[in-house]
Amino acid sequence: MLGLMGIFCFVFFHGNDFYHYHPVLVTNLNPRGQMTDLLYTEKDLVTSLKDYIRAEESKLEQVKTWAQKLDVLSATATQDPEGFLGHPVNAFKLMKRLNTEWGELESLVLKDMSDGFISNLTIQRQHFPNDDDQTGAAKALMRLQDTYRLDTQTISTGELPGTNTDVTMSPMTVEDCFELGKIAYSDADYYHTELWMEQALKQLDGGEESTVDMVTILDYLSYSIYQQGELERALDYTKRLLKLDSAHQRANGNLKYFEYQLAKQKKVEAEEGLKEKEEREREKREVSEKKGRPADYLPERRKYEQLCRGEGIKMTPRRQSRMFCRYSDNNRHPLYVLGPVKQEDEWDRPRIIRYHDILSNSEIEKVKELAKPRLRRATVHDPQTGKLTTAHYRVSKSAWLTAYEDPVVDKINQRIEDITGLNVKTAEELQVANYGVGGQYEPHFDFGPFVFTLSSLLQMSDVPSGGATVFTDVGAAVWPKKGSAVFWYNLFASGEGDYSTRHAACPVLVGNKWVSNKWIHERGQEFRRRCTLDESD
């Protein structure tokens, strides 16, 4: 048995158309006049018919171009769906296409009778993402941007750390960047509004064609910058807007207001003394440092994000020298005497151990096959209502598998018992979790009073970038490695919680993170992990 006390957590990482209508003129007929008028009427009808044909051809050409583009994209994407959707920009653009662009195509096709396509689209549309899904994908991109300190250009081009060069990724368009800015604006998140409106403007200035006009972008940009207290920059963008549209009512009003506020600010600055200037500069620095932070930003979040980036890991060379890799027979367990398992020390306090090659590829695929039809948004316990609910700080999908459902699940449970030496009969069922684009679980504890002695994290996938499990109190980070299992105790032998085990799942930057969790209860371990009041055990 592992020489650890407390709860043990085991985790496996697993076009605009144009159509003229020509009215037919009816007159009192005479032989020549009638025939002449009919000739001109017919000529008008032919002209009208040609206009209609051109409009239909234009429309069909738009549909054809769209179909060809999507045919190539979907053919590439379906060759490696998880790899394709593992790129956050691909996931966002999929949400945007299905929620917005397919709707625009539907409107275009509806201008003519196309019953087969429309009926099929109507049937399939019930499965499309909605506005909330598109907004969620956008916020996931911004979450990744903040956590991994990515600039908008890097995200827009898709050149993210860990990106597979074999995965097709179309760059973000002006419309895509503008959409992100609008979503941030709707949440009064003026920091991200500024970043993404500036990126949209940069791409427009670079010559990219767009249906979004520069005046609209400048309008959002100047206001978001003003809301962050930067009057001079807000004024500059407002002046640029008015050069393009001098009659813009709101911009003209803002121009006068910004100029008045700026003059007032400069007057105050000119009259203040040295002490007041120093105080004002200090306040400016504080505002600048806090720029982009949400209202509920806590110091722990800074630690969490640092660790997710691989920064601030607190392992001294001396402590590192006491960390080893070894072959373990788990105290001469019959199963492992002839075939010992690969054991690696990940951390010393709290002790975190990784076992390599615990799950085979076939077992991983079977677990995923069983879990996929049942995956639902993961929930947390609400202490106020006592009910399970979704939460913004836990973004993943999960499913629970029982031992009797498939021999593979039973074998995995038994393997956990053999490795840990703990009784899994009183443990939670095997939880399978999938963290997609931006998927995360912010800092939390696994334990409650005398429950969840051990946490077991079975890793069912490699993650090209992001997705670490970090321990914010001690500065530890454990990275996903397919087929391995990571264990740590959450409770001391006394039954008291070990607060150094506070941990979090970092957002996945590139890739798809699959894990299985097995939480082993304190109950049932009375003769396997004897109680002691000595917390140093």
Side-chain angles (χ1 to χ4, degrees):
M1 185 194 295
L2 292 172
L4 304 174
M5 304 302 293
I7 294 184
F8 195 23
C9 183
F10 190 18
V11 185
F12 290 115
F13 283 86
H14 304 250
N16 297 329
D17 56 314
F18 185 63
Y19 175 65
H20 288 293
Y21 171 70
H22 295 268
V24 177
L25 177 63
V26 181
T27 64
N28 292 326
L29 298 180
N30 59 64
R32 179 170 291 185
Q34 179 184 14
M35 298 302 294
T36 302
D37 290 341
L38 288 176
L39 282 173
Y40 282 103
T41 298
E42 186 178 42
K43 183 180 180 180
D44 284 344
L45 286 172
V46 171
T47 301
S48 178
L49 178 62
K50 287 181 178 179
D51 288 341
Y52 169 74
I53 292 170
R54 280 194 294 271
E56 282 292 335
E57 287 175 342
S58 174
K59 181 173 67 176
L60 288 172
E61 190 61 34
Q62 291 179 59
V63 175
K64 182 180 177 182
T65 301
W66 171 264
Q68 289 172 340
K69 182 180 75 172
L70 265 293
D71 185 41
V72 173
L73 182 62
S74 60
T76 304
T78 52
Q79 288 177 4
D80 181 15
E82 289 197 1
F84 183 83
L85 292 175
H87 197 296
V89 172
N90 282 343
F92 166 71
K93 288 174 74 71
L94 175 63
M95 292 289 184
K96 180 173 176 287
R97 280 199 305 275
L98 291 175
N99 183 53
T100 304
E101 297 173 11
W102 276 99
E104 294 169 355
L105 181 65
E106 179 182 2
S107 299
L108 177 65
V109 174
L110 276 172
K111 291 175 183 176
D112 193 27
M113 295 302 291
S114 301
D115 294 336
F117 170 75
I118 295 304
S119 61
N120 186 35
L121 181 59
T122 302
I123 293 169
Q124 297 297 332
R125 185 139 199 164
Q126 62 183 313
H127 305 298
F128 284 5
N130 54 28
D131 289 345
D132 289 340
D133 296 319
Q134 182 175 329
T135 298
K139 289 182 177 179
L141 269 180
M142 289 183 269
R143 187 184 308 127
L144 293 171
Q145 180 181 5
D146 294 343
T147 302
Y148 297 104
R149 290 186 175 175
L150 303 171
D151 57 62
T152 52
Q153 179 68 16
T154 298
I155 297 175
S156 181
T157 58
E159 298 171 353
L160 303 176
T163 302
N164 184 347
T165 54
D166 295 332
V167 175
T168 303
M169 204 296 295
S170 56
M172 294 180 71
T173 62
V174 170
E175 288 86 354
D176 295 331
C177 299
F178 179 72
E179 180 69 22
L180 279 173
K182 277 207 309 180
I183 288 170
Y185 182 85
S186 66
D187 277 355
D189 177 1
Y190 301 114
Y191 170 72
H192 287 106
T193 303
E194 175 193 346
L195 293 180
W196 285 102
M197 290 301 173
E198 280 190 331
Q199 181 63 30
L201 184 62
K202 179 181 177 181
Q203 293 180 204
L204 267 184
D205 287 340
E208 184 179 321
E209 294 184 1
S210 173
T211 57
V212 182
D213 63 278
M214 192 173 289
V215 168
T216 303
I217 293 173
L218 288 168
D219 194 16
Y220 275 100
L221 190 51
S222 62
Y223 185 75
S224 62
I225 290 172
Y226 158 70
Q227 283 289 343
Q228 295 176 85
E230 298 183 58
L231 277 171
E232 291 190 32
R233 288 184 63 220
L235 182 60
D236 288 342
Y237 280 118
T238 302
K239 288 178 179 178
R240 183 175 174 183
L241 187 161
L242 288 170
K243 285 181 181 179
L244 298 172
D245 183 2
S246 59
H248 197 286
Q249 187 175 356
R250 183 168 52 253
N252 276 297
N254 287 344
L255 179 69
K256 293 177 183 177
Y257 179 73
F258 293 161
E259 288 177 333
Y260 167 75
Q261 289 292 336
L262 198 56
K264 184 179 174 182
Q265 179 179 301
K266 289 181 176 178
K267 183 180 178 181
V268 171
E269 290 175 4
E271 294 174 353
E272 65 188 9
L274 181 61
K275 187 176 181 180
E276 288 83 358
K277 285 182 180 179
E278 290 177 349
E279 180 66 21
R280 180 171 49 80
E281 288 300 322
R282 185 185 63 79
E283 289 175 356
K284 279 185 178 180
R285 285 194 299 271
E286 288 181 355
V287 169
S288 178
E289 289 171 1
K290 293 178 181 178
K291 190 175 181 179
R293 294 181 182 177
D296 60 350
Y297 190 90
L298 297 173
E300 185 182 37
R301 180 164 174 175
R302 181 171 172 270
K303 279 190 191 176
Y304 160 59
E305 292 179 347
Q306 279 184 323
L307 291 167
C308 290
R309 295 191 296 268
E311 303 168 4
I313 297 174
K314 302 175 182 177
M315 176 57 73
T316 64
R318 185 176 179 182
R319 287 169 61 190
Q320 183 69 49
S321 68
R322 296 196 291 266
M323 311 288 282
F324 297 98
C325 293
R326 64 187 72 81
Y327 283 100
S328 171
D329 61 12
N330 196 22
N331 292 328
R332 302 196 61 76
H333 188 287
L335 190 64
Y336 300 118
V337 170
L338 295 179
V341 290
K342 301 172 186 175
Q343 187 187 82
E344 178 184 359
D345 295 329
E346 286 281 355
W347 208 255
D348 52 356
R349 296 187 302 274
R351 193 176 181 201
I352 304 171
I353 293 181
R354 186 196 297 268
Y355 288 89
H356 294 270
D357 303 326
I358 296 301
L359 292 178
S360 67
N361 285 335
S362 61
E363 288 173 328
I364 289 172
E365 291 308 311
K366 185 61 181 180
V367 169
K368 288 164 68 173
E369 177 191 324
L370 293 169
K372 280 180 180 179
R374 305 186 217 169
L375 287 174
R376 298 291 183 271
R377 174 75 183 269
T379 56
V380 297
H381 180 264
D382 187 334
Q384 295 182 335
T385 65
K387 297 179 180 179
L388 292 175
T389 182
T390 58
H392 69 89
Y393 55 83
R394 188 179 193 185
V395 186
S396 65
K397 290 187 174 182
S398 64
W400 298 86
L401 302 180
T402 56
Y404 58 79
E405 291 184 61
D406 193 276
V408 167
V409 180
D410 191 38
K411 282 172 63 179
I412 291 172
N413 287 338
Q414 185 60 51
R415 197 171 302 153
I416 294 171
E417 179 166 320
D418 294 338
I419 290 173
T420 63
L422 299 176
N423 183 359
V424 298
K425 291 182 175 59
T426 57
E428 299 285 303
E429 302 294 354
L430 190 69
Q431 185 201 52
V432 182
N434 176 223
Y435 294 82
V437 175
Q440 65 171 8
Y441 192 179
E442 291 184 2
H444 62 282
F445 297 107
D446 278 351
F447 62 79
F450 290 94
V451 295
F452 296 169
T453 294
L454 183 75
S455 291
S456 312
L457 183 63
L458 303 141
Q459 301 174 328
M460 304 197 300
S461 64
D462 292 315
V463 179
S465 189
T469 299
V470 298
F471 293 74
T472 53
D473 190 62
V474 298
V478 178
W479 302 92
K481 182 170 176 56
K482 187 177 182 180
S484 69
V486 178
F487 299 87
W488 67 88
Y489 281 115
N490 296 296
L491 296 182
F492 292 112
S494 63
E496 295 295 321
D498 182 353
Y499 289 90
S500 69
T501 61
R502 186 168 174 82
H503 60 286
C506 297
V508 176
L509 178 57
V510 176
N512 213 340
K513 178 181 174 183
W514 284 88
V515 301
S516 292
N517 300 289
K518 189 75 174 179
W519 291 290
I520 301 176
H521 284 265
E522 182 79 353
R523 180 173 58 85
Q525 316 307 329
E526 293 82 358
F527 299 102
R528 301 197 185 199
R529 292 182 59 258
R530 295 189 179 277
C531 183
T532 175
L533 297 180
D534 184 1
E535 293 187 357
S536 65
D537 284 344

